Amino acid sequence: MRTTIELSDRTYILLRARAAERGMRGFSAIVEEALERLFHEGGDDDLLAARTEAEGAWSAADVEEWERAREEARASWPVDRFSTPTS
């Protein structure tokens, strides 16, 4: 699945350097590897199973409430002076 993430300049540079060391053009495989390790070490395999079982369990009202809460939280996030705006 294709997605967009925001990285600090430092993280982006280190990620590109690691990809270059491995002879890779992009760094998706490195990000995937790191996330899989994070989820596996954190015992999140159970979360994935629970999510799969619960898929479709939210009502439209639940989704709207979650979206509203997410937007409110995002609006209150501090601005990172090292991040690069994406829009």
Side-chain angles (χ1 to χ4, degrees):
M1 174 181 287
R2 201 167 172 80
T3 191
T4 301
I5 60 171
E6 294 182 25
L7 302 171
S8 68
D9 291 342
R10 179 182 184 280
T11 300
Y12 178 78
I13 290 167
L14 291 171
L15 189 54
R16 293 295 295 188
R18 181 61 52 95
E21 288 172 3
R22 293 184 179 188
M24 303 164 75
R25 287 186 61 177
F27 48 78
S28 294
I30 295 172
V31 172
E32 179 82 16
E33 177 186 318
L35 291 173
E36 286 295 327
R37 188 176 311 133
L38 173 72
F39 296 145
H40 181 71
E41 290 173 359
D44 291 331
D45 291 337
D46 294 337
L47 279 177
L48 181 58
R51 184 207 166 271
T52 301
E53 291 174 19
E55 193 165 326
W58 283 19
S59 68
D62 292 335
V63 173
E64 287 178 22
E65 173 63 20
W66 183 85
E67 290 285 344
R68 185 192 59 72
R70 183 179 61 88
E71 287 301 319
E72 286 178 7
R74 183 168 173 88
S76 68
W77 288 350
V79 176
D80 180 359
R81 62 187 180 105
F82 295 108
S83 67
T84 304
T86 59
S87 55

